[in-house]
Amino acid sequence: MADSTVPKKDGIWETIKTVFWALVIAGIFRTLFFQPFWIPSGSMKDTLLIGDFLFVNKMAYGYAAVSCPFAACPISGRILGSDPERGDVVVFRHPTRNVDFIKRVIGLPGDTIQMRGGRLWLNGEEVPVTPAPDFVETKEQQGPQGLVPRCVNDPVAQGDDCIKQRFTEELPGGASHSILNIVDGWVADDTPTFTVPEGQYFFMGDNRDNSEDLRFPQEIGGLGFVPAEYLIGRADRIMFSSAGRSLLYFWTWRPDRFFKAVE
């Protein structure tokens, strides 16, 4: 009869191997298929709010991300999949700053894009917008960074309603989404005409007066055009959302945003 007091070394070793391979599989899954992303700023309001947590579909465009030790190098290689479409919300690596951004695809290769008086012009035609109810949020610090929103009705006291004008913008092809306006005559409300190079994309934030995007060139710290190889994946669905500065603040959770589709 076996002595039950003898340590079962084989059992311990099997457990270690199981944990090891579980971590390897999880790492591969994260690398190839999905990547978590936490919304840190308000550039995509009201589509995405500070504190929204989502998984990025890395296979949407057939790119599998790999680590990149340098600021100005691609982070993915194309293996299969479709191309981004106008209106997609995409996470990508900034071409020069080695940080991840999330914005909406506005321009495809070959498109011409210009802002005139705060309105988007695409391939020589004004993109139609329809007025929608104002977006209202509380004027208070948001997220771990304690960011305070800008408002159409500034100055606004802490704790009062912060209002932004909201419109529905319809891109060619039928994709529509909300955009916000804070102030008329903002520095990026009028731009030169941009022509999107082959193999690159033009991104903008939905919160148009609070978005660091291609309207600001890389030479002054802006985004510039984004080459396809810097795309990480498409944001399809919000999994969790918290309005507080910590996940532990359960009273700040936003259950109405759990599992909400990104449109």
Side-chain angles (χ1 to χ4, degrees):
M1 180 179 295
D3 186 350
S4 61
T5 63
V6 177
K8 298 181 179 179
K9 295 182 179 179
D10 289 345
I12 295 173
W13 177 240
E14 287 300 320
T15 299
I16 293 174
K17 287 196 297 182
T18 299
V19 171
F20 171 78
W21 285 114
L23 292 173
V24 169
I25 292 171
I28 293 173
F29 188 83
R30 179 189 185 280
T31 298
L32 294 180
F33 301 108
F34 295 95
Q35 177 172 317
F37 190 83
W38 192 273
I39 304 301
S41 72
S43 67
M44 281 296 294
K45 291 179 180 178
D46 67 327
T47 304
L48 297 172
L49 305 182
I50 295 175
D52 283 348
F53 177 81
L54 49 86
F55 281 101
V56 179
N57 181 357
K58 300 175 75 171
M59 294 305 297
Y61 310 126
Y63 286 89
V66 296
S67 61
C68 174
F70 307 106
C73 66
I75 48 77
S76 60
R78 185 70 176 267
I79 53 178
L80 52 86
S82 61
D83 293 322
E85 298 180 357
R86 291 192 194 93
D88 285 359
V89 177
V90 178
V91 173
F92 54 89
R93 182 66 50 85
H94 192 291
T96 62
R97 291 166 53 183
N98 201 30
V99 294
D100 293 344
F101 273 36
I102 185 167
K103 305 286 182 187
R104 189 179 298 276
V105 178
I106 297 298
L108 303 177
D111 284 343
T112 60
I113 298 162
Q114 185 181 24
M115 294 295 292
R116 302 182 192 174
R119 292 289 182 261
L120 174 65
W121 286 69
L122 183 59
N123 295 325
E125 296 185 5
E126 184 175 3
V127 174
V129 297
T130 304
D134 289 339
F135 173 67
V136 183
E137 59 184 336
T138 302
K139 183 68 173 284
E140 62 184 358
Q141 292 185 333
Q142 300 177 351
Q145 300 180 50
L147 302 177
V148 178
R150 296 165 57 209
C151 322
V152 167
N153 55 327
D154 274 330
V156 178
Q158 289 285 318
D160 287 349
D161 285 347
C162 173
I163 298 172
K164 295 176 178 60
Q165 295 175 329
R166 178 161 47 188
F167 300 87
T168 299
E169 183 175 77
E170 185 171 341
L171 297 172
S176 62
H177 55 272
S178 293
I179 59 171
L180 302 182
N181 180 63
I182 301 173
V183 59
D184 293 330
W186 189 53
V187 63
D189 277 356
D190 292 277
T191 71
T193 299
F194 303 97
T195 301
V196 185
E198 186 65 30
Q200 302 189 46
Y201 297 90
F202 186 111
F203 288 92
M204 290 178 66
D206 292 347
N207 191 0
R208 291 286 166 82
D209 292 344
N210 195 50
S211 175
E212 180 184 343
D213 49 43
L214 194 145
R215 292 172 291 173
F216 302 93
Q218 292 179 356
E219 291 76 14
I220 61 171
L223 177 59
F225 296 109
V226 178
E229 59 266 28
Y230 288 85
L231 306 183
I232 294 176
R234 187 181 63 217
D236 290 331
R237 190 169 297 274
I238 300 164
M239 304 304 295
F240 176 83
S241 184
S242 172
R245 303 190 69 172
S246 170
L247 286 178
L248 299 178
Y249 299 168
F250 64 86
W251 57 90
T252 67
W253 293 357
R254 297 181 286 223
D256 60 314
R257 298 187 66 79
F258 291 8
F259 309 112
K260 181 179 180 181
V262 177
E263 299 176 346

